[in-house]
Amino acid sequence: MEANESGNLESVPTAEVLTRLARQQSTGCLRIERPGQTAMVWFRDGAVYTATAPEARSRLGDRLVGAGHITVEQLDETLQSQRELPERKRIGDLLIEHGHLDRETMGSYVREQTADSVAATLAWTEGTWAFIPGEETAEDVPLDVSVENLLMEGARRLDEWAVVRDQIGTVDSVVDFVRSGGQAELALTPDEWSMLTQIDGQSTIADLAAATGYGQFEAARIVYGLVMTGVVQVIERVEAPPLEVDRELLFCEFAGLDESAQPTDSPAPTGTPSPTPRPARESEPAEPSSPKREPLPPPEERKPKRSLLRRILGQ
């Protein structure tokens, strides 16, 4: 797309727009809007540089404290330095400069947010999109992630989100502690402890996300893990229509690639999400490669399924 172009998600869904931009080696910003919400995906030479969406946005400083990467004192010190600068500088860049955080850890959080942002927009079936060529972001932790990888990861996260919602409903659901007594001692993560300190029996999951600095996807996953361990329960559940996305068809049909082109480093899909997924640290072992899939049928035999996928995604 060499010039400004726009459309609506009912006729051209997010996945197709992303794929088109990737094929055309585009550079610029894709702006996706629906009532009250705006997501943005920045491209550089057809690869995704970074992305943001309301559901996936998190306050980095609080998020890093909750995960145990930095201390409250280090965050306060860095925020004070930020306030004293003549020109505003992002907190993540300052944490790296002060030696409180390494660039690899920062990159892992940006990757998580980008994947969550793309997953959020894949679920949007109503709204508009517009591409502004040449528009850049000041983000200093570039990713250059392929659209194919993001579509596969986005579809996996939507599947994971569907499992979470089966248990806890939407982010408008209210959670509270299980008051049964006699709980065995649990080894909770810093993320879980951070969430537990905000649970009061009145706040929704969205409220908890805002209070702790997590994105809504991440907050829901943490609450799901706490529900599964019996620490908390949903006391006011808000339902929503189920999310159904065929991961392979999303990748192969919209990306226009055969199975041999699939990224080998994509995480293997799982039926149940990890209770507390966290960005991988440098010391953690690499995830095992995905199991080999059976060859897909020829395109002409997949047309009926593609039509179903288009209906699911609102195309």
Side-chain angles (χ1 to χ4, degrees):
M1 298 182 186
E2 298 299 331
N4 288 39
E5 189 171 339
S6 60
N8 62 74
L9 297 177
E10 291 88 339
S11 57
V12 185
T14 301
E16 188 167 331
V17 179
L18 292 173
T19 302
R20 188 186 307 176
L21 291 169
R23 287 173 177 165
Q24 296 177 355
Q25 299 291 296
S26 300
T27 297
C29 178
L30 174 64
R31 187 182 182 93
I32 308 168
E33 295 183 315
R34 66 178 183 178
Q37 293 183 311
T38 300
M40 291 184 286
V41 183
W42 282 272
F43 280 81
R44 179 174 291 174
D45 299 326
V48 172
Y49 193 70
T50 189
T52 62
E55 297 95 329
R57 187 176 296 132
S58 61
R59 294 198 306 272
L60 181 62
D62 292 338
R63 180 72 182 84
L64 291 169
V65 169
H69 291 297
I70 61 174
T71 65
V72 174
E73 291 74 22
Q74 289 172 332
L75 176 59
D76 289 342
E77 171 200 326
T78 306
L79 288 172
Q80 181 61 36
S81 299
Q82 185 186 49
R83 287 189 288 269
E84 295 172 353
L85 290 174
E87 295 183 0
R88 184 169 179 80
K89 200 167 188 177
R90 282 188 304 278
I91 187 69
D93 298 330
L94 289 173
L95 286 168
I96 293 173
E97 288 182 9
H98 292 181
H100 300 322
L101 190 70
D102 60 82
R103 188 164 292 274
E104 288 74 22
T105 301
M106 174 68 72
S108 70
Y109 277 86
V110 175
R111 281 189 292 275
E112 284 289 307
Q113 186 182 61
T114 298
D116 279 345
S117 297
V118 171
T121 60
L122 289 177
W124 293 6
T125 57
E126 296 181 352
T128 61
W129 58 268
F131 181 70
I132 303 93
E135 183 170 317
E136 296 188 356
T137 175
E139 177 60 62
D140 289 340
V141 189
L143 298 181
D144 293 327
V145 179
S146 72
V147 167
E148 292 82 11
N149 265 322
L150 282 175
L151 289 178
M152 286 293 288
E153 178 66 10
R156 185 188 69 80
R157 286 171 187 249
L158 286 179
D159 280 355
E160 179 180 295
W161 181 232
V163 175
V164 170
R165 295 202 314 176
D166 283 344
Q167 292 293 329
I168 65 175
T170 73
V171 293
D172 294 320
S173 300
V174 177
V175 297
D176 197 4
F177 290 99
V178 174
R179 308 182 188 281
S180 57
Q183 282 280 356
E185 184 176 347
L186 297 174
L188 300 179
T189 67
D191 286 334
E192 291 166 334
W193 279 115
S194 179
M195 189 65 62
L196 283 175
T197 62
Q198 300 297 325
I199 292 175
D200 57 10
Q202 298 179 353
S203 300
T204 67
I205 296 171
D207 294 333
L208 296 173
T212 56
Y214 295 93
Q216 291 186 6
F217 282 3
E218 182 70 10
R221 286 194 289 254
I222 296 172
V223 170
Y224 170 86
L226 293 171
V227 169
M228 290 296 97
T229 57
V231 176
V232 303
Q233 61 184 330
V234 176
I235 59 174
E236 293 181 24
R237 181 185 175 101
V238 178
E239 301 289 352
L243 288 170
E244 295 183 17
V245 174
D246 187 315
R247 294 183 300 273
E248 282 196 321
L249 287 173
L250 178 64
F251 178 85
C252 295
E253 297 290 7
F254 280 116
L257 302 174
D258 59 24
E259 189 185 37
S260 63
Q262 286 196 47
T264 57
D265 58 348
S266 297
T270 56
T272 303
S274 172
T276 54
R278 290 170 292 164
R281 299 188 186 182
E282 190 173 351
S283 60
E284 293 179 350
E287 293 186 1
S289 58
S290 302
K292 185 175 180 181
R293 296 188 176 95
E294 292 298 320
L296 292 173
E300 60 272 14
E301 295 181 19
R302 300 202 302 267
K303 286 182 180 178
K305 291 186 178 181
R306 184 180 184 184
S307 297
L308 174 61
L309 180 62
R310 288 179 180 274
R311 290 199 299 275
I312 292 172
L313 294 178
Q315 183 171 358

